[in-house]
Amino acid sequence: MKNPAYDKALKLLARRDHFRAELAEKLRRKSFEQDDIDRAVERLDTLGLLDDEALAGRFVEFRSVDRGWGPHRLMMELRRRGVDSNLAERVSRIAGELHDRALEAAVRKVEVRAKRRWWRLPEGRARLVKSLIARGFTTDVAYRAVGRLADERESSDHEIHDQLGDPGRLS
């Protein structure tokens, strides 16, 4: 028996991987019957074409490093896409090198939009901390990262102005 929901699901999966709930929702929006959707998703699962855990792992790795998303943002996005809350919480607990790379990417992205010499004003620092928290990092991680970056910027800014030949230098 032909199942048009299954055919459509295959076409959707040919374009990109989908989470189980995400695929079912797309099929619902195409007005397929719920029984046809359930059969299609079950068949795809049996064939090994749907794997929420593997896809969630790839999602976390890509979004953390490429987009600079922290653990909280990753978990919320996975849950928004219909991933089981336990799985979303488990895979979004990034640590070690992956966490460091995600934080580094996030800091780069938020500093690009910061005002010149942001580190000299409390509101400039606060804005960066707020941006990192919005990207899913904890408050303490955000404060430490911004503090370290501000220290780096302050020391490199002084080095620039202390060089010989600087017109602003008095000696």
Side-chain angles (χ1 to χ4, degrees):
M1 182 162 75
K2 190 116 170 102
N3 183 347
Y6 176 77
D7 294 338
K8 181 62 179 177
L10 279 176
K11 288 178 184 175
L12 290 169
L13 287 172
R15 288 188 207 132
R16 73 167 182 85
D17 288 333
H18 287 74
F19 293 105
R20 185 183 195 89
E22 188 179 39
L23 184 63
E25 180 56 34
K26 283 187 178 184
L27 294 173
R28 255 190 242 60
R29 284 190 302 222
K30 297 283 183 190
S31 301
F32 290 107
E33 295 293 322
Q34 188 61 48
D35 287 344
D36 291 338
I37 294 170
D38 292 341
R39 280 196 309 276
V41 169
E42 190 59 41
R43 184 171 176 201
L44 291 167
D45 191 37
T46 302
L47 294 172
L49 297 175
L50 290 177
D51 186 350
D52 279 2
E53 188 163 355
L55 181 55
R58 290 191 309 272
F59 178 91
V60 163
E61 188 172 341
F62 177 76
R63 291 295 199 291
S64 62
V65 175
D66 187 63
R67 296 198 179 165
W69 288 4
H72 185 71
R73 172 98 184 255
L74 291 164
M75 182 180 62
M76 296 310 292
E77 185 61 24
L78 286 168
R79 290 179 68 192
R80 187 186 70 75
R81 291 172 183 248
V83 174
D84 173 71
S85 59
N86 291 328
L87 175 60
E89 185 178 340
R90 185 168 39 84
V91 298
S92 65
R93 281 190 222 130
I94 58 175
E97 183 186 341
L98 186 58
H99 185 274
D100 294 345
R101 289 174 55 204
L103 183 59
E104 182 182 317
V107 167
R108 256 194 335 269
K109 288 177 182 293
V110 299
E111 188 181 23
V112 167
R113 294 189 317 262
K115 291 183 180 179
R116 189 166 182 233
R117 296 196 174 158
W118 59 266
W119 59 91
R120 297 215 168 147
L121 301 170
E123 58 270 13
R125 289 177 183 228
R127 179 180 228 125
L128 262 69
V129 168
K130 183 179 172 185
S131 295
L132 290 175
I133 292 169
R135 287 180 165 276
F137 294 94
T138 62
T139 305
D140 61 321
V141 167
Y143 272 112
R144 280 196 310 270
V146 169
R148 276 194 310 269
L149 185 62
D151 290 345
E152 288 173 21
R153 296 298 177 255
E154 186 63 29
S155 68
S156 67
D157 193 44
H158 284 310
E159 289 169 8
I160 291 170
H161 294 296
D162 290 343
Q163 292 178 6
L164 290 175
D166 186 314
R169 191 163 187 242
L170 296 175
S171 54

